[in-house]
Amino acid sequence: MKQNLNLGWLGALGLCVALSATAQEKPADFKSQLPLSLSGEGPWYRLELPLAAQLNASQSDLGDIRVFNAAGEPQAYALAREQAETREQRSLTEVKWFPLYSSADASEAAPSVRVQSSASGTLVEVQPSSQLEAGEEVLRGWLLDASAIKAPLQQLVLDWTSERDGFQRFSIEASDDLQHWQAWGEGQVARLSFADERIEQHEVGLPGQSARYLRLLWSAPQSAPILTSAQLQSTSTSSLPLPLLWSQPLAGSSPKAGEYIWQLPTGLNVERLQVELSQPNSLAPVTLYGRRDNNQPWQPLTSGLLYRLTQNGQDVVQNDLQLTGRNVQQLRLTVDERGGGLGAEAPALKVAVRATQLVFLARGAGPYTLALGNPTVAAANLPLATLIPDYSPQRLKALGQARVDGALQLAASTATPSVAPQASGPDWKKIALWAVLLLGVLALGAMAFSLLRKPAAKT
């Protein structure tokens, strides 16, 4: 009882603190607001954030983004940088197989074997742990080496010599260390002949889990056939990344010959950039550096060769540089001028960042507003699986959609953020809120103290 009381007290205290944090956030606390229009079925809606939203955010990780309803109440939300669809890739891999022998009177037990494998785990040799005399050995099953397959196993495909017809049933076990085995159920293959008809079943379904080794032990009949082929089908799925969003051309400066600097509106996770090559027959080996602000040293990001050459009357242009998505706000390009350079003035620059989806749970009456631009608030986004209890990529794709209503350029709010200090006197509303919360905590503490002092009931 005491433990439950402590947990309840801590949960209530955490709720009070959370309420105090969210109760102070209002749309006017953020420098930019945009109305949203909704379509489709709710209560969850997903919004593809325009690049203007990222450029106007005060925090590079979008921790200052919020959605409010008509009453100014913040909505629960999550951020996603993957599309609502997945890509599935199926592969059929030929694997090595090794016989498993045991004596005829030990047919119910798994064969005891001696295994030799390489440093990577690939099986080299599998031999019985004890020498069996001729005529006593029985082929009980097969050990399959799936160590080269990293994706979940979906299907087993077997082929065997023509001497064995009829149904064959066997158990399937999986292991990663050849010591501990997990049952994967039973499989059945068949080769049947009737008149001039022939029916063959070679495929066996697997549970879609990963394993380095599979052990097949025959139960009906108790001796295994001679395999001629063993294949495993694996399936890997991956979420597709959202497309890139490109900025408008950005102007730069050239502090000295062969060096150009650009200042981004805010810190961005840049994944690609394009340098405008206005002069034909330009050729420039370049090195790109980046940093967050003037107080940090320049860090090398990438290097490459930029060119715009005329061949057969047509321009051949290479003006892209691929980056790793590091967060930067300043970029510096140094040019090896032995190639002719890029001119005295800094060329225009475009940067690309990965698109981001915002998913929110619509609570209360609309219209809803997207707000951002507050450097002091803490991030409030939830994981997608928490926001949507039965989350899946397919479910995400079927959500209703939200769109920014109007121009993508965000206008700064004329209202003074309430987080700024007020010169007109103390904020009595905030003081009253904290007083109520403090009284609630004291009441909970008194309740806990009285319950702890109460004598336990006699049984």
Side-chain angles (χ1 to χ4, degrees):
M1 176 181 174
K2 182 176 180 180
Q3 182 179 6
N4 293 337
L5 182 62
N6 290 337
L7 291 176
W9 185 84
L10 290 174
L13 179 59
L15 179 60
C16 289
V17 173
L19 287 174
S20 67
T22 57
Q24 296 178 58
E25 292 184 0
K26 299 183 292 294
D29 297 337
F30 300 82
K31 70 179 182 181
S32 305
Q33 297 97 31
L34 275 177
L36 299 177
S37 60
L38 308 183
S39 62
E41 184 178 355
W44 292 277
Y45 295 90
R46 59 187 177 98
L47 164 70
E48 291 193 7
L49 289 174
L51 181 58
Q54 300 191 40
L55 293 178
N56 282 267
S58 297
Q59 301 180 26
S60 59
D61 61 353
L62 302 180
D64 60 325
I65 198 166
R66 298 289 188 274
V67 176
F68 293 96
N69 61 14
E73 299 171 329
Q75 309 293 284
Y77 74 97
L79 296 175
R81 290 177 171 84
E82 294 179 345
Q83 285 185 345
E85 55 186 76
T86 57
R87 177 169 49 200
E88 184 176 88
Q89 182 177 359
R90 295 179 177 269
S91 301
L92 190 62
T93 306
E94 191 87 23
V95 297
K96 292 183 179 181
W97 62 92
F98 299 86
L100 299 175
Y101 292 100
S102 67
S103 61
D105 58 357
S107 57
E108 294 298 327
S112 178
V113 296
R114 182 177 66 254
V115 177
Q116 180 181 353
S117 60
S118 66
S120 63
T122 302
L123 295 181
V124 178
E125 185 180 14
V126 177
Q127 295 290 341
S129 59
S130 59
Q131 187 68 32
L132 299 175
E133 297 182 4
E136 290 185 349
E137 62 181 21
V138 175
L139 180 60
R140 286 291 318 283
W142 297 91
L143 181 62
L144 306 184
D145 183 3
S147 58
I149 304 175
K150 308 305 179 184
L153 304 177
Q154 301 288 346
Q155 194 176 65
L156 168 67
V157 184
L158 297 177
D159 200 3
W160 59 97
T161 57
S162 59
E163 289 81 7
R164 178 72 66 86
D165 283 353
F167 291 98
Q168 303 181 58
R169 191 164 61 250
F170 50 88
S171 64
I172 306 174
E173 298 170 295
S175 175
D176 288 330
D177 57 7
L178 296 171
Q179 301 295 325
H180 306 88
W181 294 90
Q182 178 185 4
W184 274 13
E186 290 191 342
Q188 180 173 277
V189 294
R191 180 179 288 150
L192 306 174
S193 299
F194 178 76
D196 294 333
E197 299 293 333
R198 188 174 182 85
I199 300 175
E200 297 189 4
Q201 177 184 335
H202 297 265
E203 298 82 12
V204 177
L206 298 177
Q209 301 177 31
S210 297
R212 295 175 64 86
Y213 312 104
L214 295 183
R215 184 169 67 182
L216 314 179
L217 297 179
W218 261 249
S219 56
Q222 290 189 345
S223 62
I226 301 299
L227 294 185
T228 59
S229 174
Q231 295 175 309
L232 288 171
Q233 184 185 81
S234 58
T235 302
S236 58
T237 58
S238 58
S239 297
L240 301 176
L242 288 165
L244 293 174
L245 299 177
W246 286 92
S247 71
Q248 295 297 318
L250 304 173
S253 61
S254 179
K256 62 181 180 180
E259 181 176 295
Y260 310 100
I261 295 179
W262 295 269
Q263 177 77 28
L264 306 183
T266 186
L268 295 175
N269 299 318
V270 180
E271 296 202 14
R272 283 178 63 189
L273 60 80
Q274 289 182 352
V275 180
E276 182 182 356
L277 303 178
S278 58
Q279 297 180 351
N281 296 326
S282 297
L283 180 70
V286 299
T287 301
L288 183 70
Y289 301 86
R291 65 183 181 183
R292 284 299 311 274
D293 53 52
N294 296 329
N295 297 323
Q296 296 183 352
W298 291 103
Q299 299 292 333
L301 301 179
T302 188
S303 60
L305 179 64
L306 306 180
Y307 56 83
R308 178 182 175 183
L309 304 175
T310 302
Q311 295 182 351
N312 300 324
Q314 293 183 341
D315 278 349
V316 180
V317 179
Q318 166 56 38
N319 64 345
D320 275 21
L321 290 176
Q322 191 83 25
L323 305 180
T324 60
R326 182 185 297 182
N327 190 277
V328 294
Q329 192 168 357
Q330 296 178 354
L331 293 169
R332 184 181 74 175
L333 190 73
T334 60
V335 178
D336 186 342
E337 294 195 311
R338 290 178 296 178
L342 298 178
E345 296 184 358
L349 181 77
K350 291 182 180 180
V351 297
V353 298
R354 187 66 60 184
T356 301
Q357 286 186 344
L358 182 147
V359 181
F360 70 95
L361 177 62
R363 177 179 59 88
Y368 299 90
T369 302
L370 177 71
L372 68 159
N374 188 327
T376 63
V377 296
N381 56 299
L382 298 170
L384 267 174
T386 302
L387 183 69
I388 307 175
D390 54 348
Y391 166 74
S392 68
Q394 294 75 19
R395 178 71 188 278
L396 182 61
K397 187 177 181 180
L399 297 181
Q401 291 190 348
R403 291 182 174 83
V404 173
D405 191 8
L408 297 183
Q409 272 307 96
L410 299 181
S413 173
T414 57
T416 301
S418 62
V419 294
Q422 302 291 329
S424 58
D427 188 345
W428 295 107
K429 188 175 181 180
K430 184 184 298 185
I431 294 174
L433 176 63
W434 277 105
V436 170
L437 291 173
L438 181 60
L439 289 175
V441 172
L442 292 176
L444 286 172
M447 185 185 302
F449 181 75
S450 62
L451 289 175
L452 290 174
R453 293 192 60 187
K454 183 178 180 180
K458 297 183 180 180
T459 58

